[in-house]
Amino acid sequence: MWYWIGMAAIIYILFIILEESIYLLWNRYVYGPKVRKARIWNNRIILGTAFLIRLHLKEIRQKSVNKANSH
């Protein structure tokens, strides 16, 4: 009895995995890969890094100006 219940559960889970895989592949075929989203995230990472570098350079310049003014 448990054998048939287990087999039915495994077949059901495999069917769900197969169905979701087909759904995702079909959406990728119809709409294309998510290049735009990846490009947006890459731009955000680059802009965030540039912002942090600018803040760091501004801090270094400010320290050097304060150091020059104190002497």
Side-chain angles (χ1 to χ4, degrees):
M1 180 72 176
W2 286 107
Y3 174 77
W4 293 109
I5 294 172
M7 289 301 288
I10 289 173
I11 291 171
Y12 184 71
I13 290 170
L14 290 175
F15 178 74
I16 290 173
I17 292 171
L18 178 67
E19 179 195 8
E20 291 296 323
S21 299
I22 291 170
Y23 174 76
L24 291 173
L25 290 172
W26 176 253
N27 279 342
R28 187 177 179 118
Y29 173 74
V30 171
Y31 300 113
K34 298 178 182 177
V35 175
R36 184 171 170 251
K37 282 188 178 182
R39 191 178 318 129
I40 289 171
W41 277 106
N42 286 340
N43 287 344
R44 287 181 182 173
I45 290 170
I46 291 169
L47 289 175
T49 305
F51 178 73
L52 291 175
I53 290 172
R54 280 187 181 180
L55 283 178
H56 187 65
L57 290 175
K58 185 177 179 182
E59 184 179 314
I60 290 172
R61 287 183 192 135
Q62 206 167 28
K63 284 181 182 180
S64 65
V65 168
N66 289 342
K67 198 175 197 182
N69 288 338
S70 67
H71 288 289

